[in-house]
Amino acid sequence: MPRIVVVMRQADGTETTRVIEKARWLDGESLQSLALDEGLRIGGACGGMGLCTTCRVEIIEGAESLSRLTREEKDFRAQNLLKETERLACQCSPTGDVTLRYDP
Ligand code: FES
């Protein structure tokens, strides 16, 4: 079962951490959905369609444990709107442990 560590950077510069460890895991469930199940809202302006980048997260560890880039993510990277270390939480799903950071 993948373990997701979520580091949230607060406005005052401090960081808080939450760990998501679910007993039941849907294959292909997005990071955004998993976080929301734990009460963490990561973006979502476009309803998880990969169109807005409000769910952008920085992957600190475990990038290799995420599903492949979607066409939408590749398009944003090509436009320099998504860094190499970033993913769209609505577009990727974990297959192993991942640590990510975002600004809530
Ligand atoms: S919620 Fe809009 S791109 Fe993910």
Side-chain angles (χ1 to χ4, degrees):
M1 170 176 43
R3 180 176 188 262
I4 310 300
V5 177
V6 180
V7 179
M8 293 165 283
R9 193 171 21 224
Q10 306 299 326
D12 65 2
T14 61
E15 293 183 335
T16 56
T17 301
R18 289 272 299 274
V19 178
I20 300 173
E21 289 180 296
K22 294 178 67 173
R24 299 177 67 178
W25 198 271
L26 293 177
D27 194 32
E29 189 171 1
S30 72
L31 282 177
Q32 185 182 51
S33 174
L34 292 165
L36 191 57
D37 284 349
E38 299 296 316
L40 301 175
R41 184 175 179 84
I42 303 177
C46 71
M49 300 297 289
L51 303 174
C52 70
T53 74
T54 60
C55 66
R56 174 193 297 118
V57 296
E58 176 188 4
I59 305 301
I60 300 170
E61 291 180 8
E64 70 284 357
S65 297
L66 291 171
S67 55
R68 292 177 177 220
L69 287 173
T70 63
R71 181 172 47 87
E72 289 79 5
E73 289 176 303
K74 289 177 182 175
D75 287 348
F76 282 124
R77 282 203 179 162
Q79 299 170 60
N80 292 320
L81 297 174
L82 192 66
K83 297 176 185 171
E84 289 293 319
T85 56
E86 295 176 329
R87 296 292 304 267
L88 298 179
C90 72
Q91 296 293 298
C92 59
S93 56
T95 57
D97 297 349
V98 175
T99 300
L100 64 90
R101 178 185 291 123
Y102 82 108
D103 301 327

